């Protein structure tokens, strides 16, 4: 076999002479032939390139630096291309590098990896991207009075375009009113505005804007925009889309904060760390609903423990939603793209992403107790802190004592709980058998039965059902005791004939939900005074007890007494519909074996507690005893103080969760944050190094990693992130919010991708105006109301929406704003306007959401039936912002009108036109009902049909119909009735569009 010349040279000299390797001549051709297809300008797998010097030497997602000048043996590049790592062979396809090529690369690196700048591709600084640059305040160009108009006119002049004329007063009144309140102006308000503009247009517009911004309707309107972005919903989503009955306080907080015109910095800080930065305030607690606003996997958290892989995945995805919601909402950055690898387009690393996950690592989504009265809330939070301190101190004292007491203490505690004291004891077995346990059912309405054969027909006097005890899911005493049940007697083993019933219960009720009895036996007597005879006794559970997202029927013992008081069931044969046979814990035979847990009497319990105390302190010295006594006294004092407070409220929020079953959270560890690791390829099974909390390292105005002691409360992490986001030097935050506000006033933002200011997003159409607005907003106190007024008082906003053939040829999308955009009303605005016009709008604010559905199977996986709701129910005539929002089954009528999907973050709603929308507006039960109410209102407010039609047009469109239209409308109403005419009016474009 002939040996290649290069290999022979290596064998003779040991290496290629350093001065013999030239990068352009020898190395670059190897990279181009073998590497740049996947690591070049087109693709950058692993975040790595071999056509750009800086990235080739120091870049890469997981192994940087990949080339160590002077040390080929320490360079990961050589390991990969030589096959030294079986999991990372390069190139992955095609022929590998031959020996000569490998020798060339080694020699080049050992010689210092000289790479001429002229041979490197363009290496752009990632921070050169516009959104990462500092906000620069430029003076408005020219001598135009309004600064917004100055920037807009300058751009228009560059394309030789001119703005459109001002909109008429009626159009402008409707536009401003809908924009700020989401409701139509009344005919009287339009007339007053028209009269005012005739005298002083600017003053009239300013006065109208001030009045609407002061209205509580403003917060309701703009809260809807905010809730779209943060994907708020009143159910969990995923498979078991259970209701969140305490989510609404966050929605009310947003409305209240907007109406109060909180500074934007505080608005952000409260939603991330209000409990830390503004302790004692109810806003600081309710605002944390932001962290929990998105979907939540009930099965992945409540049914799968965190120790399992699926449980880890569920919690990883939960934190991912928190991270994406936070950075996407406040900074318009797609940081969640970096969970598997460095961001492909923006300077966001995996380290950044997992540092952000570490900020939220202690949190779960659950109900948090608080008080809406700030004085109560401050007292409650202080007492909770004292309670945690007292429990921690007591645990530190008792833990060594419990270990010293050992298993004897554990058994004694079980006896105190009632699990180990039996009516009779088996020899050598200090604990009783558990009892009978049915097969598990997915819903509570599955019927289960268990039956005892007495061997002969017996005259019976009463039946006693003895409950079980099991620590599963912390249920304890009364485990599996049926919620509804019946007891029957028959001589027919199939219970088809001669069935007699034991109905009478102590509370004289039948088929009402039975509360968990603990370990107290349930006894029933026969209906007949002379007793009831039968061979077979059957207990049928018609509504099962909850276990953990499923349902069961369990009993420890069944006692059946004859007229003489003897238990004739003892030792008899038991049959059942089904059974979990897992002896000795569970089996049918346990039901008649004479063993069942019995709660100790008060006297017995006192003796057991004294025995426990003696056992616990048996080896403790006197100082330890005194410290424990003081800790117990402190715990009791705090509990007594908490008991004096009224019952607290609850909000569904991001908080520490103690929990039960699989959903334990970090509360069991004192709220200590979970360790967060950098996951290779985003896999929870491939953890790397542990991450510290932080944010985006590309921005240098603050350190990207937060210096927080490991002993600090978890809230300090969130507080650090809140301060980082609201730092005046953070360029993303202030650009993001002014762009969002601009979008809702014009239908399109200055940046058309409001959730993505990265390289995959759009460039700003007016970068100087965007920065001027951002700096004006930031430096002016972060007042959203001032920002609204600034925009609405500009001539740019007040333009008409008419077209111009010349302008459309130059700027078809109206990106330069030579006119106002004609905008379609959102689903909520349509619905609220219908109610306002019909006279049925209920303006009651706040509280639990109204429901336009009926829930089926609420205990397991709820099914939300909108078709069963009553459209004439006055409770559903409140504003749409207060609607109970379901994730899995969105409201069909609202969805047809482009309502936001609450399962995803919606930065900009679709604006579609379809036949389905016309049919929905014409035929939906809500529209039919409200059209009738609209007609009734018209008949009440106007005397004859022409006057009624004039009033209808004024209410719906803000003006009377023309003479020709009036004639057609009168004829239609005479032929089809006034309610049908109202349906037609509510289906016209003039009603569905702002202007």
């Amino acid at each position: 076999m002939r040996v290649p010349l290069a290999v022979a040279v290596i064998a003779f000299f040991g290496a290629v002479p350093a001065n013999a390797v030239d990068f352009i001549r020898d190395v670059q051709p190897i990279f181009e032939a073998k590497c740049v297809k996947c690591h070049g300008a087109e693709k950058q797998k692993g975040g790595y390139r071999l056509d750009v010097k800086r990235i080739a030497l120091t870049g890469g997602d997981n192994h940087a630096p990949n080339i160590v000048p002077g040390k080929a043996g320490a360079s990961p590049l050589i390991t990969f291309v030589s096959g030294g790592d079986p999991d990372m062979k390069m190139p992955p396809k095609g022929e590998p590098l031959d020996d000569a090529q490998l020798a060339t690369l080694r020699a080049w690196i050992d010689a210092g990896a000289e790479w001429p700048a002229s041979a490197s591709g363009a290496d752009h600084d990632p921070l050169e991207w516009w959104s990462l640059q500092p906000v620069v305040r430029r003076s408005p160009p020219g001598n135009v009075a309004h600064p917004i108009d100055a920037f807009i006119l300058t751009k228009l002049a560059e394309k030789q375009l001119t703005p459109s004329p001002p909109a008429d007063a009626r159009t402008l009144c409707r536009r401003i009113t809908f924009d700020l309140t989401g409701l139509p102006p009344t005919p009287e308000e339009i007339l007053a505005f028209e009269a005012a503009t005739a005298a002083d247009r600017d003053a009239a517009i300013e006065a109208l804007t001030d009045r609407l911004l002061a209205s509580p309707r403003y917060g309701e309107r703009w809260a809807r925009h905010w809730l779209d972005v943060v994907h708020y919903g009143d159910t969990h989503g995923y498979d078991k889309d259970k209701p969140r009955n305490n989510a609404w306080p966050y929605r009310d907080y947003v409305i209240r904060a907007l109406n109060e015109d909180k500074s934007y910095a505080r608005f952000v800080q409260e939603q991330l760390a209000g409990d830390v930065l503004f302790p004692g305030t109810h806003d600081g607690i309710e605002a944390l609903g932001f962290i929990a606003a998105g979907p939540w996997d009930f099965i992945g958290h409540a049914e799968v423990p965190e120790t399992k892989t699926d449980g880890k995945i569920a919690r990883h995805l939960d934190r991912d939603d928190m991270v994406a919601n936070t950075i996407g909402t406040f900074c318009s950055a797609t940081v969640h793209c970096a969970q598997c690898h460095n961001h492909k387009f923006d300077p966001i690393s995996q380290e950044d992403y997992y540092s952000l996950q570490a900020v939220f690592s202690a949190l779960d989504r659950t109900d948090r107790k608080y008080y809406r009265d700030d004085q109560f809330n401050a007292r409650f939070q202080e007492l909770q802190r004292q309670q945690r301190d007292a429990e921690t101190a007591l645990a530190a004292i008792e833990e060594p004592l419990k270990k010293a007491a050992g298993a004897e203490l554990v058994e004694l505690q079980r006896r105190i709980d009632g699990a180990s004291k039996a009516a009779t004891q088996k020899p050598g077995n200090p604990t009783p058998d558990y009892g009978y346990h049915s097969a598990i059912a997915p819903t509570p309405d599955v019927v289960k039965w268990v039956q005892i054969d007495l061997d002969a027909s017996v005259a019976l006097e009463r039946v006693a059902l003895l409950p079980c005890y099991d620590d599963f899911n912390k249920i304890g005493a009364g485990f599996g005791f049926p919620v509804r049940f019946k007891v029957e007697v028959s001589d027919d083993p199939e219970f088809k004939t001669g069935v007699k019933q034991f109905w009478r219960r102590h509370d004289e009720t039948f088929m009402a939900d039975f509360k968990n009895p603990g370990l107290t036996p349930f006894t029933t007597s026969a209906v007949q005074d002379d007793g009831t005879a039968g061979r077979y006794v059957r207990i049928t559970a018609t509504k099962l007890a909850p276990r953990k997202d499923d349902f069961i029927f369990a009993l420890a013992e069944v006692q059946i007494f004859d007229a003489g008081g003897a238990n004739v069931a003892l030792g008899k044969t038991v049959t059942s519909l089904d059974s979990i046979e897992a002896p000795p814990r569970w089996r049918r035979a346990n039901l008649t074996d004479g063993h069942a847990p019995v709660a100790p009497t008060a006297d017995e319990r006192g003796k057991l507690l004294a025995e426990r105390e003696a056992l616990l302190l048996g080896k403790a010295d006197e100082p330890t005893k005194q410290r424990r006594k003081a800790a117990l006294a402190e715990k009791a004092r705090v509990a007594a103080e908490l008991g004096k407070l009224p019952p607290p409220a609850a909000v569904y929020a991001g908080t520490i969760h103690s929990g039960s079953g699989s959903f334990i959270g970090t509360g069991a560890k004192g709220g200590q944050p979970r360790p967060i690791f950098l996951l290779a390829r985003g896999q929870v099974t491939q953890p790397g190094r542990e991450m510290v909390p932080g944010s985006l390292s590309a921005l240098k105005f603050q350190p990207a990693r937060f210096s927080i002691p490991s002993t600090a409360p978890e809230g300090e992490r969130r507080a650090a992130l809140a301060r980082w986001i609201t730092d005046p030097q953070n360029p993303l935050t202030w650009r993001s919010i002014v762009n969002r506000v601009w979008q809702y006033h014009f239908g399109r933002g200055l940046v058309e991708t409001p959730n993505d200011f990265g390289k995959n997003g759009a460039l700003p159409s007016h970068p100087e105006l965007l920065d001027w607005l951002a700096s004006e907003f930031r430096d002016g106190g972060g007042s959203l109301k001032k920002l609204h007024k600034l925009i609405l008082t500009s001539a740019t906003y007040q333009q008409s929406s008419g077209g111009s053939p010349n302008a459309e040829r130059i700027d078809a999308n109206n990106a330069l704003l030579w006119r106002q955009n004609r905008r379609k009303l959102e689903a909520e605005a349509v619905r609220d306007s219908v109610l306002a016009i019909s006279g049925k709008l209920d303006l009651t604010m706040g509280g639990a959401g109204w429901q336009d559905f009926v829930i089926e199977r609420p205990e397991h996986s709820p099914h939300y039936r909108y078709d069963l709701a009553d459209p004439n129910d006055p409770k559903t005539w409140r504003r749409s912002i207060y609607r109970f929002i379901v994730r899995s089954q969105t409201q069909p009528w609202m969805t047809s009108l482009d309502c936001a999907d609450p399962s995803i973050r919606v930065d900009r709603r679709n604006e579609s036109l379809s036949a389905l929308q016309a049919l929905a507006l014409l035929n939906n039960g809500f529209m039919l009902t409200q059209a009738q109410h609209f007609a009734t209102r018209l008949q009440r407010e106007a005397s004859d049909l022409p006057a009624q039609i004039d009033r209808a047009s004024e209410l719906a469109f803000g003006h009377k119909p023309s003479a020709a239209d009036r004639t057609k409308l009168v004829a239609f109403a005479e032929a089809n009735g006034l309610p049908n005419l109202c349906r037609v009016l509510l289906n016209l474009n003039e009603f569905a569009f702002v202007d």
Side-chain angles (χ1 to χ4, degrees):
M1 182 179 69
R2 294 184 63 186
V3 179
L5 178 59
V7 176
V9 171
I10 295 170
F12 184 81
F13 291 102
V16 176
N19 59 9
V21 181
D22 177 80
F23 176 81
I24 295 176
R25 182 190 68 224
D26 303 317
V27 176
Q28 197 167 40
I30 298 174
F31 289 164
E32 290 174 349
K34 298 289 187 177
C35 306
V36 296
K37 183 177 180 181
C38 296
H39 301 284
E42 296 298 323
K43 295 180 182 178
Q44 302 88 40
K45 289 188 175 181
Y48 190 56
R49 299 180 67 168
L50 277 164
D51 62 334
V52 175
K53 177 180 178 179
R54 181 187 62 83
I55 301 176
L57 267 62
T58 64
D61 287 351
N62 299 314
H63 307 285
N66 275 279
I67 297 173
V68 183
K71 297 180 181 179
S75 299
L77 176 70
I78 297 299
T79 302
F80 299 146
V81 298
S82 65
D85 184 342
D87 296 325
M88 192 73 77
K89 292 181 178 180
M90 291 291 157
K93 297 179 181 180
E95 292 294 324
L97 275 66
D98 59 34
D99 292 340
Q101 291 170 324
L102 289 170
T104 298
L105 292 181
R106 286 192 180 99
W108 171 67
I109 295 173
D110 282 336
E114 291 294 327
W115 187 327
S118 60
S120 175
D123 181 12
H124 297 292
D125 182 352
L127 295 182
E128 288 180 359
W129 189 246
W130 70 269
S131 63
L132 303 177
Q133 296 298 303
V135 172
V136 177
R137 183 185 177 93
R138 296 179 176 86
S139 298
N143 296 316
V144 180
H146 199 289
I148 289 178
D149 297 333
F151 287 107
I152 296 296
L153 289 172
T154 299
K155 281 286 186 181
L156 290 175
E158 291 175 3
K159 298 292 184 179
Q160 297 183 332
L161 292 172
T162 56
S164 296
D168 63 81
R170 183 195 69 86
T171 297
L172 196 56
C173 183
R174 279 174 55 85
R175 182 188 299 169
I176 294 174
T177 306
F178 271 119
D179 269 12
L180 293 183
T181 69
L183 293 170
T186 66
E188 294 73 23
E189 288 170 340
I190 292 175
L191 290 173
F193 181 74
E194 287 177 329
T197 54
D200 188 333
R201 179 182 172 90
D202 291 341
I205 292 171
E206 185 172 346
L208 175 63
T209 301
D210 288 341
R211 175 173 65 82
L212 296 175
L213 286 173
S215 167
R217 312 284 82 82
Y218 158 75
E220 293 172 331
R221 165 62 160 171
W222 281 81
R224 182 63 263 163
H225 296 321
W226 186 260
L227 297 180
D228 277 7
V229 176
V230 305
H231 62 343
Y232 168 88
D234 291 290
T235 64
H236 291 324
Y238 286 92
D239 301 54
K240 294 184 179 180
D241 191 20
K242 291 180 178 291
R244 292 178 181 171
N245 294 319
N246 294 314
W248 61 266
Y250 171 68
R251 173 250 290 154
D252 282 2
Y253 157 80
V254 175
I255 295 171
R256 185 171 62 253
L258 294 174
N259 277 331
E260 293 174 357
D261 199 22
K262 287 191 181 223
S263 73
Y264 187 67
R266 175 151 181 165
F267 185 55
V268 174
Q269 290 173 358
E270 285 180 337
Q271 293 179 76
L272 289 174
D275 55 335
V276 179
L277 297 175
F278 310 101
T281 66
H282 67 289
D283 279 1
I285 303 297
E286 291 178 344
L288 299 179
F290 164 82
I291 300 172
W296 182 71
D297 183 0
F298 181 91
I299 293 176
H301 286 79
E303 298 185 4
V304 183
E306 194 161 353
T307 53
K308 302 285 187 181
T309 297
D310 285 351
K312 292 180 186 294
I313 292 172
R315 288 153 180 83
H316 166 81
L317 294 176
D318 201 52
R319 288 190 299 273
D320 174 70
D321 181 80
M322 294 178 185
V323 169
N325 201 29
T326 298
I327 303 302
T329 296
F330 300 127
C331 298
S332 297
T334 56
V335 67
H336 48 289
C337 295
Q339 63 176 301
C340 301
H341 47 70
N342 289 349
H343 201 295
K344 293 296 185 184
F345 304 99
D346 301 330
I348 302 172
S349 67
Q350 268 193 296
E351 288 88 344
D352 290 342
Y353 172 80
Y354 286 102
S355 292
L356 283 162
Q357 275 219 10
V359 171
F360 300 100
S361 62
L363 299 188
D364 287 290
R365 304 172 200 246
T366 188
D367 287 337
R368 176 166 178 167
K369 294 179 180 179
Y370 75 108
Y371 288 89
R372 297 191 178 105
D373 180 282
D374 280 354
Q375 288 186 337
F376 275 126
N377 202 47
R379 178 63 177 157
F380 181 60
Q381 287 185 264
E382 173 60 22
L383 288 173
Q384 283 185 312
R385 184 194 64 77
Q386 294 177 17
Q387 186 179 53
R388 289 191 297 269
D389 291 346
E391 289 173 348
T392 300
L394 183 61
I397 296 168
E398 287 193 340
E399 195 61 35
L401 303 179
K402 289 178 180 179
K403 289 181 179 179
E408 188 178 355
L409 180 66
V410 175
E411 176 58 25
L412 187 59
Q413 187 63 55
R414 285 178 60 80
R415 292 180 64 194
I416 292 170
D417 293 338
S420 300
K421 185 174 182 296
T424 59
Q425 297 287 342
K426 290 184 178 180
N429 181 12
T431 60
D433 293 337
Y434 281 76
Y436 159 79
H437 189 314
S438 77
I440 296 168
T443 61
D445 53 1
V446 176
V447 174
K448 305 279 187 181
W449 58 262
V450 64
Q451 181 172 309
I452 294 92
D453 181 357
L454 302 178
D455 294 336
S457 186
V458 179
L460 306 179
E461 194 273 333
R462 69 185 190 280
V463 175
L465 310 181
L466 279 61
C468 291
Y469 185 100
D470 194 347
D471 284 329
F472 181 85
N473 206 33
K474 297 187 178 181
I475 296 174
F479 175 84
F481 199 89
V483 177
R484 295 184 184 179
F485 58 92
K486 59 184 177 180
V487 182
E488 299 172 309
V489 179
S490 178
D491 287 319
D492 176 7
E494 295 185 2
F495 277 74
K496 292 181 178 178
T497 61
V499 178
K500 303 170 186 178
Q501 298 174 331
F502 282 75
W503 290 127
R504 188 173 301 151
R505 297 190 344 196
H506 296 313
D507 57 6
E508 299 296 335
T509 61
F510 167 58
M511 292 303 286
D513 281 359
F514 192 78
K515 294 181 179 179
N516 185 321
L519 292 178
T520 303
F522 169 81
T523 303
T524 183
S525 57
V527 174
Q528 292 86 350
D529 293 335
D530 57 351
T532 297
R535 174 175 174 173
Y536 302 97
V537 176
R538 177 179 287 191
I539 300 95
T540 303
T542 57
K543 186 174 183 180
L544 304 180
R547 192 184 73 117
K548 187 187 70 172
D549 306 318
D550 47 35
F551 302 87
I552 58 163
F553 171 31
L555 292 172
E557 187 81 5
V558 174
Q559 297 172 339
I560 304 171
F561 298 95
D562 62 13
N567 178 14
V568 294
L570 196 63
K572 294 300 190 292
T573 301
V574 179
T575 57
S576 63
L577 177 69
D578 54 38
S579 174
I580 291 180
E581 293 292 298
R585 288 170 59 88
W586 304 113
R587 56 186 168 188
R588 294 184 183 93
N590 288 349
L591 268 184
T592 56
D593 65 356
H595 300 277
V598 178
T601 65
D603 186 53
E604 289 171 333
R605 181 176 174 82
K607 292 178 181 178
L608 290 171
L609 288 171
E611 187 178 342
R612 179 188 184 277
E613 192 76 358
L615 183 62
L616 187 67
L617 298 178
K619 298 181 181 180
D621 57 23
E622 190 58 33
T624 301
K625 292 178 181 179
Q626 292 303 318
R627 286 192 293 113
R628 180 173 178 272
K629 182 179 180 180
L632 285 170
E634 174 63 8
K635 182 179 177 181
R637 182 195 66 79
V638 175
E641 290 296 317
L642 283 168
K644 295 176 183 178
L645 295 175
V651 58
Y652 189 81
T655 189
I656 302 299
H657 180 61
S658 297
S660 60
S662 297
F663 184 28
I664 295 176
T666 63
K669 298 180 180 178
Q672 186 178 17
R674 301 170 176 92
I676 298 297
F677 304 98
L678 191 150
L679 304 180
R681 301 179 180 89
Q683 299 295 315
V684 298
T685 55
Q686 299 184 52
R689 67 182 184 278
E690 185 173 350
M691 305 303 298
V692 298
S695 193
L696 306 184
S697 55
L699 296 171
K700 306 298 184 183
F701 61 87
Q702 276 191 22
R705 302 295 176 258
F706 305 146
S707 298
I708 300 172
S710 59
T711 56
E714 67 80 26
E716 293 302 324
R717 300 177 175 216
R718 293 181 284 114
L721 179 60
R723 294 186 188 101
W724 183 89
I725 289 175
T726 57
D727 189 291
Q729 301 307 310
N730 189 330
L732 293 170
T733 303
W734 309 104
R735 288 184 176 120
S736 174
I737 183 58
V738 298
N739 186 66
R740 292 191 191 280
V741 173
W742 185 275
Q743 171 188 282
Y744 293 121
H745 284 307
F746 288 92
R748 170 181 178 155
L750 294 169
V751 181
E752 200 171 1
T753 52
N755 272 8
D756 188 0
F757 279 11
K759 293 183 180 179
N760 263 7
L763 294 171
S765 59
H766 299 75
E768 294 84 4
L769 172 57
L770 180 65
D771 273 19
W772 186 87
L773 287 170
S775 60
E776 182 75 8
F777 177 72
R778 177 195 63 193
D779 301 341
S783 166
L784 286 167
K785 288 189 176 183
K786 288 182 180 178
L787 179 61
H788 290 301
K789 187 172 181 179
L790 180 65
I791 293 172
L792 268 57
T793 54
S794 69
T796 301
Y797 174 83
Q798 297 168 23
Q799 293 178 98
S800 65
S801 58
S804 165
N806 178 59
E808 288 166 3
R809 281 193 298 270
I810 298 171
D811 181 25
N813 292 329
N814 192 33
L816 301 179
L817 291 173
W818 49 269
R819 63 174 174 86
Q820 176 60 277
N821 291 306
R822 185 176 292 113
R823 286 169 290 140
K824 191 169 177 283
L825 290 175
E826 301 96 328
E828 291 86 351
V830 170
R831 185 184 176 280
D832 292 353
S833 295
V834 170
L835 287 167
I837 290 167
S838 71
K840 293 299 180 181
L841 181 60
D842 178 358
L843 292 175
T844 302
M845 295 183 69
W850 54 266
Q851 300 179 1
D852 52 356
F853 52 79
V854 173
I855 300 181
E856 293 181 342
R857 298 175 61 192
E859 300 90 348
H860 193 257
S861 298
H863 182 44
Y864 301 90
R865 294 285 302 274
Y866 295 97
D867 58 312
L868 299 180
D870 179 10
N872 230 345
D873 182 358
K875 292 193 295 292
T876 67
W877 296 345
R878 296 175 66 201
R879 287 205 70 175
S880 299
I881 185 67
Y882 300 112
R883 181 170 64 92
F884 190 98
I885 298 175
V886 177
R887 296 188 198 274
S888 61
Q889 294 161 277
T890 56
Q891 215 280 1
W893 184 75
M894 300 284 280
T895 300
S896 73
L897 299 176
D898 300 320
C899 190
D901 181 346
S903 294
I904 60 175
R905 300 181 57 248
V906 178
D907 57 341
R908 182 180 178 187
R909 290 195 183 185
N910 292 331
E911 236 183 63
S912 65
L913 291 172
S914 69
L916 180 62
Q917 292 172 347
L919 292 171
L921 287 172
L922 195 62
N923 299 317
N924 179 263
F926 169 76
M927 296 299 293
L928 293 173
T929 298
Q930 295 305 318
Q932 181 65 59
H933 291 309
F934 189 10
T936 301
R937 176 183 181 177
L938 297 175
Q939 291 166 340
R940 185 175 62 250
E941 296 183 3
S943 57
D944 56 27
L945 187 57
Q948 291 165 2
I949 288 172
D950 283 356
R951 183 61 174 165
S953 182
E954 289 176 329
L955 289 168
F957 315 129
H959 64 80
K960 291 182 179 180
S962 66
D965 286 345
R966 184 184 295 107
T967 300
K968 294 177 183 177
L969 294 173
V970 168
F972 183 90
E974 289 174 340
N976 300 284
L978 191 57
N980 280 331
L981 174 68
C982 291
R983 290 171 64 197
V984 171
L985 295 179
L986 297 177
N987 205 7
L988 295 179
N989 278 353
E990 192 172 2
F991 174 76
F993 282 77
V994 178
D995 61 304

